[in-house]
Amino acid sequence: MAGTGILLVLFLFAHAAGNLKIFFGAGPFDHYAHWLRTIGSPLLPDQWYLWIQRTVLTAAVLGHVGAAPILARRARKARPVRYAHRPAVQASYAARTMRWGGVIILLFVVFHILDLTTGTVNPVGDPQHPYADVVADFAPHRWYVTLCYTLAIVAVGLHLRHGIFSAARTLGQQTARGERAWRAVALALSVLLVAGYLSVPFAVVTGLVK
Ligand code: HEM
């Protein structure tokens, strides 16, 4: 869970940083999207890197989702007698929403690929001009699309907050001081990521990017 999660987190940060190129205008953003298809050239033919990344990410998602029931079973086995009284507020909101948060994120990724990769559900849907696709996507009258993205991105932030914290534990962090430090790191990284992602739709809605 921790290993595949770290891979996915690296992708999330690289993707958020790439999205910020939109603030440099249509030319630089479309050029960046084109570059994504030519990474590794001339060693690799066009799109090969992209397909390697897609394969690795898909394997990481499958591994990550597949590890969830295994870990849950292990946790139940570790304590076969159920708690007689389980306090309602036992873990943070982020920790309690991992499963459903994960499902929301998966559904969002499917919608997002149909929207901005294949262009199937995008009003412009031109893979050569992703800047135009993004601007059309978050036009003020399509407020429901911005709302879906916002909910999904907040779900990503909550998932990440708990995920980074648990990954640190899995990878050996055990002290109380380290726990406090990792809690703060997890919160700071999640807020940064959410702000980076949300800045794009809200820049379009407010007319900063057009
Ligand atoms: C407002 C926020 C976001 C914007 C504006 C955005 C924008 C884009 C764009 C333009 C593409 C197509 C790139 C291209 O092929 O030229 C893309 C692809 C993708 N995005 Fe996002 N994205 C956002 C949030 C997210 C989030 C939160 C996730 C994951 C949870 C995500 C996962 C992906 C994936 C998996 C792809 C497909 C990459 C591929 O073609 O292999 N995106 N995004």
Side-chain angles (χ1 to χ4, degrees), residues 11-12 15 19 22 29 32-34 36-37 50 53-54 57 105 108-109 112-113 116-117 127 130-131 133-134 138 149 152-153 156 196-201:
F11 167 77
L12 279 175
H15 185 34
N19 284 351
I22 203 146
F29 189 72
Y32 158 73
H34 176 72
L36 289 176
R37 286 163 180 72
L50 194 63
Q53 178 177 295
R54 284 171 176 165
L57 283 179
I105 296 165
F108 164 75
V109 170
H112 183 52
I113 288 174
L116 290 175
T117 300
Y131 183 94
D133 295 344
V134 172
F138 303 120
Y149 268 78
I153 289 164
V156 169
Y197 275 125
L198 287 185
S199 68
V200 176

Side-chain angles (χ1 to χ4, degrees), residues 9 31 33-34 57 72 75 79 98 126 136 164 173 181 184 187 194 200 207:
V9 169
H31 182 243
H34 176 72
L57 283 179
R79 182 172 171 107
M98 287 311 268
D126 176 356
I164 293 176
Q173 147 46 42
L187 179 65
V194 168
V200 176

